[in-house]
Amino acid sequence: MRLNLGGGEIVAFYLYLSKFFNPVQAIADQINQIQKANSSSERLFNLLDVPPEVLDKPNPIIMDHFEGRIEFKNVWFAYENDDWILKDVSFTIEPRQTVAFVGATGAGKTTILSLIVRNFQIQKGQILIDGVDINDIEIHSLRKAVGQMLQDVFLFTGTIKSNITLHDEEFSDEEINQVCEYVNADKFINKLDKGLDTEVLEKGENFSQGQRQLLSFARTVLHKPQILILDEATANIDTETEKLIQDSLEKIKNIGTMLVVAHRLSTIQNADQIIVLNKGEVIEKGTHQSLLRQKGYYHKLYLLQFSND
Ligand SMILES: Nc1ncnc2c1ncn2[C@@H]1O[C@H](COP(=O)(O)OP(=O)(O)OP(=O)(O)O)[C@@H](O)[C@H]1O
Ligand SMILES: [Mg+2]
């Protein structure tokens, strides 16, 4: 059989063909999307099903003020099973002291800081703040009193201002500006056309690591915590910002009790107490000078890390 098709009919045929296949393609795309959403939601619900590690006790103590005395008493901690990350760690920090934690990578420094805000539950021993076991303290009131300045500063999409105030409307622009000046963040903010209203992109990628750290200082100082924890950023900070950070730290230290995971020699030297960790154990404690005189592990670390400074 022969079909006698004219040019117009062939064109029409092709047009109808694509009209037919476009929806089919669209349906296939939709099915694809649904499958992706399905597997994502499965992962999401799995995540939501994980119970939070640490919960409030019934009738927890709501602390509205801390003096800032922190005590670790024979603390043992493992993230998993019996893989002890902290082994029998004990130390006492008096109110308004600055304490530096030093030790090799993986020694457990960040872990100690995260235990203070009850991100994890210790298995043995006791952590006390102002003599109260932190397991008895309401988590929200505890976290409100502890200003956290961590290695990876968390900035969210918004403006510099909203990242500093955390959307708390009670702060005036004047207060915010004062705080920025106090922590030396004003230097770079003032250079921006929109100043405090400058947009912050996702994860703060339009700011350098040093600038992010300064913003986290401003955020912390504005909220006036009684206890401060700082995991110093190590990498990629230019010398100019580095100086601003050092100067800022000297001032911040006076706000309350401060626990620092320190990489900068200046922070360490000026600390009231240095706690030296090795593989989850406290092996030395003292001031910079007294530890150097001991000629122990700290002395070795010092020679290794800072002899070039
Ligand atoms: N969330 C976690 N789950 C399981 N293990 C972890 C977790 N966080 C840390 N660890 C492990 O605990 C140990 C101590 O880690 P921690 O982060 O406290 O070390 P650090 O002294 O802060 O090191 P660094 O100087 O590199 O920051 C490491 O062996 C690490 O792999
Ligand atoms: Mg760390």
Side-chain angles (χ1 to χ4, degrees):
M1 188 184 81
R2 277 192 58 158
L3 282 174
N4 276 324
L5 291 177
E9 282 160 320
I10 291 175
V11 172
F13 175 74
Y14 273 106
L15 286 177
Y16 283 131
L17 205 61
S18 73
K19 271 206 190 292
F20 174 73
F21 277 112
N22 280 350
V24 172
Q25 186 61 47
I27 290 171
D29 285 348
Q30 294 293 341
I31 291 173
N32 216 343
Q33 288 279 346
I34 290 169
Q35 268 167 354
K36 273 194 205 156
N38 213 348
S39 66
S40 304
S41 65
E42 200 175 292
R43 263 180 274 161
L44 183 65
F45 285 116
N46 278 340
L47 198 65
L48 291 175
D49 283 342
V50 177
E53 193 113 359
V54 183
L55 292 169
D56 273 332
K57 275 191 171 175
N59 306 314
I61 301 171
I62 299 170
M63 304 278 281
D64 52 16
H65 180 79
F66 288 92
E67 292 302 322
R69 186 171 195 276
I70 297 169
E71 196 176 354
F72 272 55
K73 270 189 181 171
N74 310 100
V75 171
W76 288 75
F77 173 71
Y79 287 101
E80 276 155 37
N81 302 326
D82 287 342
D83 185 8
W84 297 111
I85 300 296
L86 297 183
K87 301 165 199 153
D88 205 30
V89 168
S90 298
F91 57 80
T92 305
I93 304 169
E94 296 301 333
R96 307 188 79 80
Q97 264 196 342
T98 297
V99 173
F101 292 89
V102 298
T105 176
K109 306 178 296 289
T110 302
T111 303
I112 288 182
L113 296 189
S114 68
L115 290 179
I116 290 171
V117 283
R118 293 188 63 193
N119 285 346
F120 302 96
Q121 182 64 47
I122 59 169
Q123 284 84 359
K124 283 190 256 178
Q126 225 183 0
I127 302 174
L128 306 149
I129 301 186
D130 294 355
V132 183
D133 190 318
I134 59 168
N135 289 328
D136 298 334
I137 301 175
E138 191 214 28
I139 294 174
H140 179 71
S141 69
L142 175 66
R143 293 188 185 157
K144 227 173 108 180
V146 181
Q148 304 185 41
M149 300 167 279
L150 302 180
Q151 246 165 338
D152 298 308
V153 177
F154 184 77
L155 293 184
F156 49 83
T157 323
T159 60
I160 290 189
K161 185 164 146 185
S162 68
N163 268 281
I164 294 175
T165 62
L166 301 177
H167 289 289
D168 192 333
E169 305 285 333
E170 94 181 58
F171 301 107
S172 67
D173 278 7
E174 200 190 327
E175 272 176 288
I176 302 168
N177 282 322
Q178 273 173 4
V179 165
C180 289
E181 204 175 311
Y182 185 81
V183 301
N184 291 331
D186 61 328
K187 312 273 186 305
F188 84 89
I189 295 174
N190 291 341
K191 278 188 205 147
L192 302 166
D193 290 340
K194 290 189 187 162
L196 285 177
D197 295 317
T198 304
E199 210 184 324
V200 174
L201 300 181
E202 201 182 310
K203 293 189 196 136
E205 60 195 16
N206 50 335
F207 296 100
S208 73
Q209 204 188 358
Q211 290 170 336
R212 274 181 248 165
Q213 188 113 54
L214 287 173
L215 286 181
S216 84
F217 289 179
R219 178 193 285 166
T220 302
V221 171
L222 186 71
H223 289 86
K224 298 193 180 65
Q226 291 116 40
I227 298 166
L228 299 99
I229 58 183
L230 165 64
D231 218 339
E232 275 188 342
T234 36
N236 309 327
I237 292 178
D238 58 278
T239 28
E240 193 189 341
T241 314
E242 175 72 40
K243 279 207 191 88
L244 295 178
I245 289 180
Q246 278 188 16
D247 177 70
S248 179
L249 271 182
E250 279 307 303
K251 295 192 224 160
I252 294 178
K253 264 174 40 180
N254 303 316
I255 293 176
T257 307
M258 178 133 152
L259 291 79
V260 196
V261 170
H263 303 291
R264 292 184 185 82
L265 185 58
S266 60
T267 318
I268 302 174
Q269 273 176 335
N270 297 332
D272 298 302
Q273 195 186 163
I274 299 164
I275 296 175
V276 187
L277 290 161
N278 184 26
K279 297 184 184 140
E281 284 178 274
V282 175
I283 53 168
E284 285 167 20
K285 272 185 249 181
T287 60
H288 177 68
Q289 290 304 334
S290 75
L291 288 174
L292 282 186
R293 277 197 298 274
Q294 274 186 31
K295 290 223 173 356
Y297 187 79
Y298 179 79
H299 181 76
K300 263 194 219 141
L301 272 184
Y302 173 77
L303 290 181
L304 273 176
Q305 289 188 16
F306 302 115
S307 49
N308 299 329
D309 280 21

